[in-house]
Amino acid sequence: MFRYALLALSLVPVSAASAQPAAPSAIDAAAARASLVGAWEGELAYLDYSANRWFGIPVKTRIIDQGDGATMLRIADFDDGPKVGNVRITTGELFDEKASTVAVATFRKGRSVEVMTYAVRIDPASRDATHWTMIEETRATDDNRPATLRLTTVRDGDKVETLKEVDFLDDDKSDWLTRNRTRLTRVGD
């Protein structure tokens, strides 16, 4: 049920380029990403479409800077129920400031390694290191269908929320389907 939780836990953001040139943001993607370093706790939730409501479980995430201004590790732990038990997802991320991308490799026991590269941008309305919106997009598969994946991360002080949305490419629609979200609060450095 939390097959897609991995992406939501990544907390990385990007969005499609607009037709109009955007005013420069008060913060760039490197600074926004660096502001996530530390310990976080909260909820990983998925939207149950039949009930039209969110269902969530507690999650703890630690984001560790690797000291080069580009590489980070994310370690997320959650309990995925009695059949699966405790889950640890470790994600390595490499940010390329010139290309405005982040390469992500995700490791989870019992699963194949997932590797993706997201285009990343900061919303120009972002104010500072603790008040910003980052959008990440990539082409991949979701539910065994070709899709564009979008992660939107909003940081507001000591709170951060990442929303994962999917737009399937094998239909004639341009509709974003909400997959999951992670809401976290900073609990330490």
Side-chain angles (χ1 to χ4, degrees):
M1 112 169 83
F2 289 98
R3 179 175 170 209
Y4 302 105
L6 170 65
L7 293 175
L9 294 170
S10 292
L11 300 176
V12 185
V14 162
S15 174
S18 76
Q20 300 292 326
S25 174
I27 184 169
D28 63 18
R33 289 173 45 74
S35 78
L36 293 172
V37 170
W40 301 80
E41 290 183 8
E43 180 184 68
L44 167 62
Y46 73 97
L47 184 59
D48 181 325
Y49 302 113
S50 60
N52 195 29
R53 59 181 278 232
W54 290 95
F55 291 91
I57 57 173
V59 64
K60 293 181 180 182
T61 300
R62 180 161 246 341
I63 301 171
I64 306 162
D65 179 12
Q66 297 302 290
D68 62 4
T71 311
M72 299 174 90
L73 285 179
R74 296 174 188 273
I75 302 165
D77 294 296
F78 60 92
D79 185 337
D80 202 9
K83 290 184 180 179
V84 176
N86 291 326
V87 173
R88 169 162 284 180
I89 298 172
T90 304
T91 305
E93 300 175 5
L94 180 62
F95 178 63
D96 183 335
E97 190 168 14
K98 289 181 182 178
S100 295
T101 61
V102 63
V104 178
T106 303
F107 302 86
R108 178 175 171 174
K109 180 181 173 183
R111 299 212 178 159
S112 298
V113 175
E114 292 182 16
V115 179
M116 292 189 217
T117 299
Y118 290 87
V120 178
R121 84 170 175 84
I122 295 290
D123 184 312
S126 298
R127 298 188 329 239
D128 57 41
T130 58
H131 300 90
W132 49 259
T133 299
M134 187 168 30
I135 302 129
E136 301 170 85
E137 289 185 351
T138 192
R139 294 231 172 151
T141 59
D142 186 277
D143 200 21
N144 294 317
R145 295 173 63 189
T148 299
L149 309 180
R150 178 170 65 194
L151 303 174
T152 303
T153 301
V154 177
R155 173 132 189 222
D156 186 13
D158 282 342
K159 298 197 179 296
V160 67
E161 177 176 309
T162 299
L163 180 69
K164 179 186 176 187
E165 298 170 289
V166 176
D167 181 17
F168 291 107
L169 301 173
D170 59 358
D171 59 25
D172 292 333
K173 302 175 192 170
S174 181
D175 295 329
W176 289 98
L177 177 68
T178 299
R179 274 292 190 227
N180 58 47
R181 73 175 178 212
T182 304
R183 289 182 169 167
L184 302 170
T185 301
R186 181 180 288 282
V187 294
D189 292 332

